[in-house]
């Protein structure tokens, strides 16, 4: 090493602690995202001091700076930034800001040394090249440490979130709905449409499975959800999905079918019925699981969409359900309530309105209902309007309403909302 360069580097090494304080202060003032608590400030100063000693001593020993490892304190600082959620851009800005400030310190030291201008130019060029190389090494290793820690954090969050979601599905303990919603990033108190998404075959290609989350997010946009979908890896070959809505959408399933139809890479999609709140979250998922089972009983290429509300699936469920069995009755009652709302109440007036609405949907014209029941046409129109008002929303899902009304007629009080509801 040139003797002039060595003399300057030796003087800088002696002042490493002071220079470290200057650079850390500049970084914290110039990058407001960086934490300023005592613990992080101390770690930052230790990392900066270690970095300066490392580069200065490498220069004095003529060691290639591209081959040296950055101090452990620096990579630890990067990991802690990742754990605290500090943006990676903030860390990289701090590196570049430190490089510029260190350059200014070096130039000031050259001025104080009283070197001839031509010597100063030579020394500055030599140190600038070396410091730039070292900052590149520093940034790359810090970046790797940050990304590694960030990846571990995301994995831990995902696993913890999936455990909480499975706890919600298992219904084994009570929990704070709002707190869990915040933890998993999904509104459990809203309306839900559950899906199961998978590719047929025993061992689908890993790259196809890896693309399912992106497919689901695009599907959610097409289905016009009111927030981001919730995804959970199921069994290594499928994803469980919930689409959130503030109120029941009219055309969600139709939009999903159309989205899948035009995609050449589409997987199979099984869809539950809309469900409200935590119970609806669970029920829609169970329905999507049953729809998937029905789809798997048939062989065919990917891109099939089957919904729990498809006439064949719902009719079979109602036909083979045992209304005396608690599980079946609860399942049917929950679905009927989701579809009919307060109209599913176990009252004489609601029973009469349900019957009027059932016959009206069958014939499609009020006068046919009047003829069938031998009542005035105006009375039929009035009762149909009351039935729709009692339900709480227009009949945009005629097939579901018809099947729910059939379930009420078939099973009676076993699937109706008790009076206290």
């Amino acid at each position: 090493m040139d003797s002039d360069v060595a003399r300057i580097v030796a003087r800088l090494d002696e002042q490493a602690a002071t220079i470290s304080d200057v650079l850390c202060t500049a970084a914290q003032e110039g990058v407001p995202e960086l934490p300023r608590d005592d613990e992080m400030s101390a770690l930052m100063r230790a990392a900066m001091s270690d970095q300066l000693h490392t580069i200065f001593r490498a220069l004095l020993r003529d060691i290639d700076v591209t081959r040296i490892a950055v101090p452990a304190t620096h990579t630890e600082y990067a990991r802690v930034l990742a754990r605290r959620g500090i943006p990676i851009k903030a860390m990289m800005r701090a590196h570049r800001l430190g490089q510029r400030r260190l350059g200014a310190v070096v130039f000031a030291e050259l001025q104080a040394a009283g070197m001839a201008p031509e010597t100063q130019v030579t020394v500055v060029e030599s140190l600038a090249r070396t410091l730039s190389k070292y900052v590149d090494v520093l940034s790359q290793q810090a970046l790797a440490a940050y990304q590694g820690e960030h990846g571990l954090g995301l994995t831990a969050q995902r696993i913890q979130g999936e455990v909480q979601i499975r706890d919600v599905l298992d219904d084994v303990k009570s929990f704070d709905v709002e707190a869990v919603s915040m933890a998993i990033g999904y509104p459990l108190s809203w309306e839900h449409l559950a899906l199961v998404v998978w590719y047929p075959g025993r061992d689908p290609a890993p790259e196809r499975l890896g693309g399912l989350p992106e497919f689901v997010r695009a599907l959610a946009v097409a289905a016009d959800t009111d927030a981001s979908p919730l995804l959970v890896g199921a069994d290594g070959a499928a994803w469980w999905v919930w689409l959130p809505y503030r109120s029941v959408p009219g055309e969600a399933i139709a939009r999903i079918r159309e989205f899948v139809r035009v995609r050449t890479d589409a997987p199979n999609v099984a869809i539950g019925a809309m469900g409200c709140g935590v119970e609806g979250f669970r029920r829609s998922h169970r329905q999507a699981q049953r729809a998937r089972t029905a789809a798997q009983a048939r062989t065919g290429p990917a891109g099939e969409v089957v919904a729990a509300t498809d006439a064949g699936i719902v009719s079979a469920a109602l036909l083979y359900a045992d209304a005396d069995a608690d599980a079946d009755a609860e399942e049917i009652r929950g679905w009927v309530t989701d579809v009919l709302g307060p109209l599913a109440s176990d009252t004489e007036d609601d029973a009469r309105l349900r019957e009027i609405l059932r016959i009206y949907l069958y014939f499609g014209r009020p006068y046919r209902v009047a003829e069938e029941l031998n009542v005035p046409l105006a009375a039929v129109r009035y009762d149909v309007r009351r039935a729709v008002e009692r339900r709480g929303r227009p009949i945009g899902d005629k097939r579901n309403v018809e099947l729910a009304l059939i379930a009420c007629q078939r099973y009676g009080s076993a699937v109706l909302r008790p009076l206290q509801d």
Side-chain angles (χ1 to χ4, degrees):
M1 173 184 289
D2 182 274
S3 60
D4 290 323
V5 175
R7 182 159 54 91
I8 294 299
V9 171
R11 291 180 59 173
L12 291 171
D13 189 39
E14 292 172 357
Q15 303 172 55
T18 302
I19 296 172
S20 172
D21 288 341
V22 171
L23 298 185
C24 287
T25 300
Q28 289 183 324
E29 291 177 353
V31 185
E33 298 95 329
L34 294 179
R36 289 168 171 73
D37 58 273
D38 291 344
E39 179 184 354
M40 287 300 288
S41 293
L43 180 57
M44 179 191 231
R45 278 169 165 72
M48 187 68 74
S49 179
D50 289 346
Q51 292 165 31
L52 293 175
H53 282 304
T54 298
I55 180 60
F56 294 152
R57 289 169 189 179
L59 286 169
L60 290 171
R61 293 173 173 83
D62 241 1
I63 299 173
D64 183 354
V65 295
T66 64
R67 296 182 177 275
I68 61 177
V70 301
T73 48
H74 183 71
T75 52
E76 178 59 20
Y77 183 75
R79 291 189 186 98
V80 177
L81 290 180
R83 287 199 292 271
R84 292 198 178 192
I86 305 301
I88 194 169
K89 290 181 179 179
M91 183 182 75
M92 303 309 287
R93 286 205 313 275
H95 287 172
R96 293 305 171 189
L97 180 61
Q99 180 183 8
R100 290 197 298 272
R101 194 58 183 266
L102 181 57
V105 169
V106 170
F107 185 74
E109 188 62 32
L110 289 174
Q111 294 286 86
M115 288 185 178
E118 60 273 14
T119 304
Q120 287 187 24
V121 171
T122 302
V123 173
V124 166
E125 288 179 349
S126 175
L127 289 179
R129 284 194 301 270
T130 303
L131 290 175
S132 178
K133 290 178 182 178
Y134 181 66
V135 170
D136 286 342
V137 171
L138 188 79
S139 298
Q140 290 169 7
Q141 294 189 28
L143 181 62
Y146 182 102
Q147 291 177 328
E149 190 69 26
H150 185 62
L152 289 174
L154 290 178
T155 299
Q157 289 178 8
R158 178 179 58 78
I159 292 172
Q160 183 179 13
E162 290 185 2
V163 168
Q164 289 182 296
I165 293 165
R166 290 177 187 273
D167 284 346
V168 171
L169 292 174
D170 292 341
D171 191 19
V172 293
K173 59 183 178 182
S174 61
F175 61 90
D176 185 322
V177 174
E178 290 304 318
V180 173
S181 296
M182 287 289 293
I184 65 176
Y186 181 88
L188 288 171
S189 59
W190 289 13
E191 301 281 347
H192 318 285
L193 187 63
L195 317 176
V196 180
V197 181
W198 79 102
Y199 282 104
R202 294 189 174 218
D203 297 304
E207 60 271 16
R208 300 187 83 189
L209 289 176
L212 285 179
E214 182 180 350
F215 170 87
V216 168
R217 285 188 281 270
L219 181 150
V221 172
D224 198 21
T225 61
D226 292 322
S228 299
L230 179 65
L231 295 88
V232 175
D235 52 14
W239 285 83
W240 296 343
V241 179
W242 287 265
L243 305 180
Y245 295 90
R246 294 183 183 275
S247 59
V248 177
E251 302 293 333
I253 293 178
R255 288 174 177 169
I256 291 172
R257 291 187 192 278
E258 178 60 19
F259 177 81
V260 173
R261 185 186 67 80
V262 300
R263 292 285 291 256
T264 57
D265 61 339
N268 289 341
V269 179
I271 311 173
M274 290 296 306
C276 183
V278 173
E279 287 303 323
F281 180 88
R282 295 170 179 145
R283 184 167 52 253
S284 186
H285 174 67
R286 291 194 296 266
Q287 292 163 342
Q289 292 279 54
R290 284 199 290 272
R292 181 193 182 191
T293 300
Q296 288 177 318
R298 307 189 291 265
T299 57
E304 179 182 11
V305 178
V306 58
T309 53
D310 289 347
I313 292 178
V314 175
S315 298
L318 296 178
L319 179 64
Y320 294 110
D322 180 1
D324 293 326
D326 290 342
D328 281 356
E330 181 64 29
E331 193 74 14
I332 298 172
R333 184 187 303 116
W335 178 74
V336 166
T337 299
D338 282 343
V339 174
L340 298 181
L343 186 60
S345 299
D346 193 6
T347 68
E348 290 185 7
D349 189 49
D350 284 309
R352 188 178 62 80
L353 292 178
R354 286 194 299 270
E355 184 64 10
I356 293 289
L357 184 60
R358 184 185 66 80
I359 297 172
Y360 168 72
L361 293 176
Y362 178 77
F363 285 113
R365 286 174 171 68
Y367 77 87
R368 293 294 307 276
V369 180
E371 292 175 355
E372 182 74 13
L373 300 178
N374 194 25
V375 296
L377 179 60
V380 171
R381 286 175 172 157
Y382 175 72
D383 284 341
V384 168
R385 186 168 64 252
R386 281 190 62 214
V388 174
E389 290 173 352
R390 181 73 172 144
R391 185 197 181 207
R393 62 182 187 271
I395 301 176
D397 51 346
K398 179 173 178 286
R399 178 180 293 173
N400 286 350
V401 174
E402 287 179 313
L403 289 168
L405 292 170
I406 290 171
C408 293
Q409 183 187 44
R410 179 184 179 93
Y411 298 118
S413 295
V415 298
L416 295 174
R417 291 171 54 171
L419 290 179
Q420 61 266 30
D421 285 0

